Amino acid sequence: MKTNGLKWLRVVLALLIFIPTVLFFIDVFHLLPIKWDVILHVQLVPAILDSMWGIVIVILLLTLLFGRIYCSVICPAGILQDFFSRFSAGKKKRRQRRVLKYAKPKNWLRYTILALTVGSFMLGSSALIVLLDPYSNMGRVLADLVRPALIPLNAFVVNKAFAMGIYSFLPVSASGISMVAIVVSSLFLITIAVMSLLRGRLYCNTICPVGTFLGLVSRFSLFRVVINESACTHCNVCSRSCKSQCIDSKESIIDTSRCVTCFNCLTSCTQNAIGYRFAGFSKSHKAVPTVEKTVNTRRREFLALSTTAMMTAPFAMAQSQSKKLATQQLPIMPPGAGKREHFNMRCTACHACVTQCPSNVLIPAVFDYGIMGLMQPRMYYDKGFCQPNCTICMDVCPAGALTPLTLKEKQLTQVGRVAFTLEDCVVYKNHTDCGSCSEHCPTQAVKMVDYKDGLRIPEVTPEICIGCGGCEYACPARPKAIVVHANYDQQWAKKPPKEKEKNIEVQSFGF
């Protein structure tokens, strides 16, 4: 295939993955089928956390065969950086401000970050994965920055549709917007924007643990970009077009651990001195000269290991402290989370469940789970309640943090238990009828019983409550007289008692 063909093939494939991913997260009208979530399951970190080893093996094989195709075609954050780079290279003035040239790899930094990420996860904390995983960061950028900007459009369309008697569109609440999530997402977006505008794929080759991990594999890729030394004039054009700054044209060296196979160098070379071809199992086209002394290497390895140990210990300690939170202070986890440790370890806070929840009851947590659970989703019953006949959050979770349940299993999964405070109930305080909580309870965990003066008052049976929040959402009292308290780990609720069938004899029809 011609060099231009390779580049355009890469661009087309990247758009085929990037556009559906973006639409899935920003679909405020819920027009896209939930099955589109399959596009999220090809991301590396969620696949590892969900033990989708088939997908992991395919990604590693693709990397071993063709280099870091994942970074240039599959990773949405990588593709977004290419948009920024394209913008930077579009105008002459912007090109003059950005001068790409070969830069030595910052191995000490990127391998330390990778070691810290893996080490902290092994010690029981997923905090660095949440903060550094490119897919999860991209999900939050779309869910917490782009999607809220479309909520006014949703409100306008829904109101117009209701006025015309069309009830197909669901209103989207702004209650799920979290300032912490907005700040973190903004910082990530600004970071990759500045880095890519000035230095191309600098984030991918210094900070991103996924890029560093795949770089260890791509060093041995069978197909790679190589330089034909006999044809090369060392004009440096390929080096200036390389977003990864990994081409040293003077020495005819290409650092394949940093190359993201964007093929920009192929189209820039006018001498046909650079190509993409089979190169065998050698580490690189030409060995990178080792200028550092062994003692320096050992010192850096020692420093990296020491830093890893010192920085991962606080994460593990903080994770341990988060377990000591009082039960009543715990956030309510979404259905399918199961055990709290399982959920906190596997959730990457990509917010796919937050964007797809039709009831708007999932919001990003702040420090509710402790610092280790920053931005992970929790239930919030102020604007709605969890529908017993809905399993969407579990269906779209790509990391296995929410285990898919059948509808019957979901309707018996107890995420929390109802608690009733008599002194706050309007029947007790205002001596008036109510019963809203009982009307919204799908399991009879809240039912009305005789009180006095012909009034009826709620009575709760926590054992059969599933914690859907219907009662809490409907309660008109302030403070709420009836609320749901989280279970530390999710449990099975007892089945509601069957009502006795009443034999009603119909004497005759009234017509």
Side-chain angles (χ1 to χ4, degrees):
M1 183 179 291
K2 293 183 178 180
T3 54
N4 276 332
L6 282 174
K7 180 176 178 179
W8 281 110
L9 177 61
R10 190 264 300 174
V11 171
V12 170
L13 291 176
L15 291 176
L16 287 177
I17 292 181
F18 183 76
I19 292 175
T21 302
V22 172
L23 293 178
F24 185 83
F25 277 96
I26 68 172
D27 179 22
V28 291
F29 297 107
H30 296 285
L31 296 176
L32 301 179
I34 293 299
K35 291 297 181 184
W36 275 41
D37 74 298
V38 69
I39 202 75
L40 310 182
H41 293 268
V42 299
Q43 302 298 328
L44 182 59
V45 169
I48 292 175
L49 294 175
D50 196 20
S51 303
M52 301 291 285
W53 301 119
I55 294 174
V56 175
I57 290 172
V58 168
I59 292 173
L60 293 179
L61 284 177
L62 283 174
T63 308
L64 187 60
L65 284 172
F66 305 114
R68 287 169 57 181
I69 290 289
Y70 177 89
C71 300
S72 57
V73 172
I74 300 175
C75 176
I79 299 167
L80 181 63
Q81 291 175 76
D82 287 345
F83 281 116
F84 287 130
S85 291
R86 179 67 182 171
F87 173 80
S88 176
K91 297 292 184 180
K92 184 177 180 180
K93 289 184 178 179
R94 291 198 290 267
R95 285 200 302 270
Q96 290 173 346
R97 285 197 296 268
R98 186 180 79 157
V99 179
L100 293 176
K101 60 181 180 180
Y102 172 74
K104 290 183 178 179
K106 297 175 176 53
N107 289 337
W108 186 88
L109 176 60
R110 61 175 175 160
Y111 291 136
T112 298
I113 292 176
L114 176 61
L116 281 171
T117 306
V118 176
S120 60
F121 183 78
M122 298 295 287
L123 289 173
S125 170
S126 60
L128 286 180
I129 291 179
V130 171
L131 292 175
L132 299 178
D133 174 42
Y135 154 72
S136 301
N137 272 294
M138 191 64 194
R140 291 194 293 271
V141 167
L142 297 170
D144 302 322
L145 296 181
V146 180
R147 194 168 187 271
L150 299 176
I151 290 180
L153 175 63
N154 168 271
F156 175 79
V157 172
V158 168
N159 290 334
K160 289 292 183 184
F162 280 9
M164 298 170 64
I166 301 172
Y167 303 101
S168 304
F169 301 106
L170 294 174
V172 174
S173 170
S175 62
I177 298 175
S178 162
M179 285 306 299
V180 172
I182 290 175
V183 170
V184 174
S185 302
S186 299
L187 286 175
F188 174 79
L189 184 62
I190 293 170
T191 299
I192 65 168
V194 172
M195 283 185 165
S196 54
L197 286 171
L198 299 178
R199 300 285 298 277
R201 290 295 193 103
L202 183 61
Y203 179 86
C204 303
N205 287 321
T206 54
I207 298 176
C208 180
V210 176
T212 303
F213 172 67
L214 293 178
L216 294 172
V217 181
S218 67
R219 291 165 63 90
F220 305 97
S221 59
L222 300 183
F223 289 87
R224 64 185 68 161
V225 178
V226 295
I227 297 175
N228 182 351
E229 294 188 59
S230 61
C232 180
T233 61
H234 306 287
C235 64
N236 214 32
V237 171
C238 57
S239 182
R240 290 198 296 271
S241 68
C242 178
K243 291 179 290 190
S244 298
Q245 297 182 285
C246 65
I247 301 177
D248 185 353
S249 65
K250 291 183 179 178
E251 300 293 336
S252 299
I253 293 173
I254 298 176
D255 184 354
T256 52
S257 71
R258 290 185 290 156
C259 175
V260 295
T261 58
C262 67
F263 305 126
N264 281 0
C265 55
L266 273 61
T267 56
S268 66
C269 181
T270 57
Q271 307 298 320
N272 291 325
I274 191 165
Y276 181 74
R277 61 179 69 98
F278 181 78
F281 284 97
S282 61
K283 279 188 178 180
S284 62
H285 172 60
K286 187 174 180 178
V288 178
T290 304
V291 295
E292 297 173 326
K293 295 180 180 179
T294 305
V295 63
N296 287 340
T297 304
R298 290 178 178 174
R299 184 184 302 166
R300 289 180 177 181
E301 289 175 350
F302 173 75
L303 288 173
L305 290 174
S306 302
T307 306
T308 302
M310 288 188 293
M311 295 189 67
T312 51
F315 286 116
M317 291 173 63
Q319 182 76 359
S320 175
Q321 289 175 355
S322 68
K323 298 176 183 176
K324 299 178 182 176
L325 293 173
T327 302
Q328 62 271 20
Q329 296 175 333
L330 291 174
I332 302 174
M333 300 182 293
K339 293 187 178 298
R340 195 161 291 265
E341 285 77 11
H342 164 88
F343 174 70
N344 290 147
M345 281 292 290
R346 279 169 174 71
C347 178
T348 63
C350 69
H351 294 177
C353 58
V354 176
T355 62
Q356 298 302 312
C357 177
S359 303
N360 302 312
V361 296
L362 289 178
I363 64 171
V366 184
F367 297 111
D368 309 66
Y369 292 107
I371 192 172
M372 296 299 107
L374 187 67
M375 295 178 293
Q376 291 179 343
R378 71 177 182 89
M379 309 283 274
Y380 180 66
Y381 299 135
D382 193 53
K383 301 296 182 184
F385 60 95
C386 185
Q387 300 289 341
N389 59 349
C390 174
T391 59
I392 289 178
C393 58
M394 296 170 278
D395 296 337
V396 302
C397 178
L402 302 179
T403 303
L405 301 174
T406 64
L407 208 53
K408 287 185 178 179
E409 291 173 332
K410 192 280 179 77
Q411 291 168 351
L412 286 177
T413 298
Q414 187 182 69
V415 300
R417 288 186 170 208
V418 63
F420 175 61
T421 304
L422 174 66
E423 291 74 14
D424 293 329
C425 181
V426 294
V427 179
Y428 177 87
K429 287 195 302 186
N430 303 337
H431 206 68
T432 183
D433 279 322
C434 186
S436 297
C437 52
S438 176
E439 293 173 0
H440 283 74
C441 179
T443 66
Q444 305 175 42
V446 182
K447 61 182 181 181
M448 303 302 289
V449 297
D450 292 336
Y451 178 50
K452 62 182 179 181
D453 300 332
L455 297 174
R456 293 169 66 80
I457 202 162
E459 181 183 78
V460 299
T461 308
E463 293 78 15
I464 60 175
C465 173
I466 59 174
C468 68
C471 55
E472 182 176 330
Y473 166 69
C475 179
R478 295 293 182 276
K480 298 273 187 179
I482 192 163
V483 295
V484 177
H485 288 168
N487 288 339
Y488 186 84
D489 293 329
Q490 293 180 351
Q491 302 172 6
W492 294 113
K494 290 184 178 178
K495 290 184 178 180
K498 291 185 178 179
E499 291 187 348
K500 293 182 180 178
E501 295 182 359
K502 298 179 180 178
N503 294 322
I504 302 174
E505 294 184 3
V506 179
Q507 300 295 332
S508 62
F509 294 102
F511 55 88

